[in-house]
Amino acid sequence: MTVADLQTAHTSDGKTWIAFYQPNGTGNYDMRAQLLDVNGNKLLGANGLLVGNQTSGSATFVFNVCVDPNDNLIIGYQYEIGGNRSAVVTKVTPQGNLPWGNGIVLGIGLAPYPASNAAGEVFVTWDNENPATSFIQKVSSTGSIIWTNPISVNVGASNTTRGQIVTHPNGDF
């Protein structure tokens, strides 16, 4: 199997999540996920689970992952909607389910970076393709957007991209 890029994260019980882009032969890339047990055995089939096959464009962009308190994989990636690259966040359960379907579309942009707090809420930051602005959005554990409008973080004239976010045990980020 050919993969273009991958990210890994560990679960509380010693398993390893792998999220990866796979070329699909149409000039686009599919997002897939695999869960390995403690011995390295694949738990979601030989090729992993298809997470998203929406139009990605002919290149992969930075994507990021984290694991929530229930060992679900959270993937922040992007795909095209109406010709615009849109930041998306999705959840994959250890059983191979996609409770957020094709993902929660956050808005136009690239390189979403998720972080989950102890309540299972997900905070995501992403670059809106304006080199001086990033956004932050909060998503509930059930996949609902919490803030009507994302927080805009403007860093002046600096060309800042690919913001990272971490959560504190008290739920702050």
Side-chain angles (χ1 to χ4, degrees):
M1 171 188 310
T2 302
V3 300
D5 191 11
L6 62 89
Q7 296 285 328
T8 63
H10 300 283
T11 65
S12 63
D13 59 357
K15 295 176 183 150
T16 302
W17 277 111
I18 305 170
F20 56 96
Y21 278 120
Q22 181 181 35
N24 64 17
T26 68
N28 286 294
Y29 293 83
D30 294 338
M31 176 56 69
R32 301 187 77 85
Q34 180 61 269
L35 182 61
L36 304 177
D37 69 15
V38 296
N39 296 313
N41 297 307
K42 297 176 181 180
L43 300 177
L44 298 178
N47 296 320
L49 175 73
L50 178 63
V51 174
N53 63 353
Q54 293 76 16
T55 301
S56 64
S58 61
T60 61
F61 295 92
V62 173
F63 72 97
N64 296 283
V65 299
C66 69
V67 174
D68 74 7
N70 295 313
D71 290 329
N72 298 304
L73 178 65
I74 308 298
I75 308 171
Y77 68 113
Q78 54 279 315
Y79 54 74
E80 290 185 11
I81 300 173
N84 294 310
R85 292 178 291 228
S86 296
V88 177
V89 64
T90 197
K91 180 188 283 192
V92 183
T93 69
Q95 297 76 31
N97 297 316
L98 299 169
W100 298 352
N102 286 333
I104 309 304
V105 178
L106 302 167
I108 293 174
L110 297 170
Y113 193 101
S116 180
N117 65 13
E121 299 165 322
V122 178
F123 296 89
V124 186
T125 182
W126 73 96
D127 171 15
N128 76 337
E129 296 199 78
N130 175 333
T133 305
S134 291
F135 287 124
I136 303 171
Q137 181 58 269
K138 183 178 179 181
V139 179
S140 74
S141 63
T142 59
S144 298
I145 296 285
I146 300 295
W147 298 326
T148 303
N149 296 305
I151 295 171
S152 177
V153 180
N154 187 302
V155 291
S158 173
N159 287 335
T160 301
T161 63
R162 301 181 186 146
Q164 296 180 0
I165 195 166
V166 295
T167 55
H168 189 275
N170 71 6
D172 291 341
F173 68 92

